[in-house]
Amino acid sequence: MAEIKVHFANFPYTEISTHFGGLTIKTSAFQLTGESVTADKYKILEISTEENVKKIAGAVGWGVVGGILVGPVGILAGALLGGNKKQVTFILELTDGRQLMGSTDSKSYTAMMASKMKFDSLKTSNIDNLLKSDEPTRTDEDYLEEARRKAGLL
């Protein structure tokens, strides 16, 4: 479960996190479980910015490992290469009108987008199947006429 750093939200929250492409929104400090929002409730999900972030602890850790393995050159290489992480800032609008701008790691954002695309394709395929149906579309008058016929009124 990845934490989302919220920059803006038009609804009350104390903590928002992502898990398996969905969201958990907690609205009070002592709430154990929050509202679970699945990807079918995502109306809009798009990247605002994407940036590389260097985590100091990771860089120091890799520098130490590099120093132990290769010496002074390893310290420099480990410090430069270690601790890199891609941070994604995104905009999310839910179907109920709630909006948020937040940042999370790229892996969590990818899971959110994949879940949204999966639900969008399911909706599209269901609509396509309904439109391809050979059965003609019936109107209210058709149903009313059928009911009158069954009742013996016609």
Side-chain angles (χ1 to χ4, degrees), residues 43-87:
K43 183 176 178 183
I44 297 170
L45 176 62
E46 54 190 40
I47 289 180
S48 178
T49 63
E50 194 171 359
E51 59 191 41
N52 288 318
V53 177
K54 183 168 283 288
K55 300 287 184 185
I56 299 301
V60 169
W62 282 109
V64 170
V65 169
I68 291 170
L69 295 176
V70 191
V73 175
I75 291 173
L76 182 60
L80 290 175
L81 298 175
N84 287 333
K85 188 175 183 182
K86 195 167 282 248
Q87 194 76 10

Side-chain angles (χ1 to χ4, degrees), residues 12 21 101 117 144:
M101 178 184 218
M117 291 177 74
L144 188 57

Side-chain angles (χ1 to χ4, degrees), residues 10-108:
N10 68 350
F11 57 90
Y13 70 92
T14 56
E15 179 184 317
I16 301 177
S17 56
T18 179
H19 54 89
F20 304 111
L23 293 178
T24 299
I25 301 171
K26 293 184 181 180
T27 55
S28 68
F30 301 106
Q31 188 176 9
L32 295 177
T33 61
E35 173 193 1
S36 184
V37 179
T38 54
D40 62 326
K41 303 289 190 278
Y42 298 172
K43 183 176 178 183
I44 297 170
L45 176 62
E46 54 190 40
I47 289 180
S48 178
T49 63
E50 194 171 359
E51 59 191 41
N52 288 318
V53 177
K54 183 168 283 288
K55 300 287 184 185
I56 299 301
V60 169
W62 282 109
V64 170
V65 169
I68 291 170
L69 295 176
V70 191
V73 175
I75 291 173
L76 182 60
L80 290 175
L81 298 175
N84 287 333
K85 188 175 183 182
K86 195 167 282 248
Q87 194 76 10
V88 176
T89 300
F90 62 92
I91 297 169
L92 173 66
E93 183 177 346
L94 301 175
T95 54
D96 62 7
R98 291 183 287 179
Q99 300 172 334
L100 99 97
M101 178 184 218
S103 296
T104 191
D105 60 280
S106 63
K107 196 176 205 178
S108 298

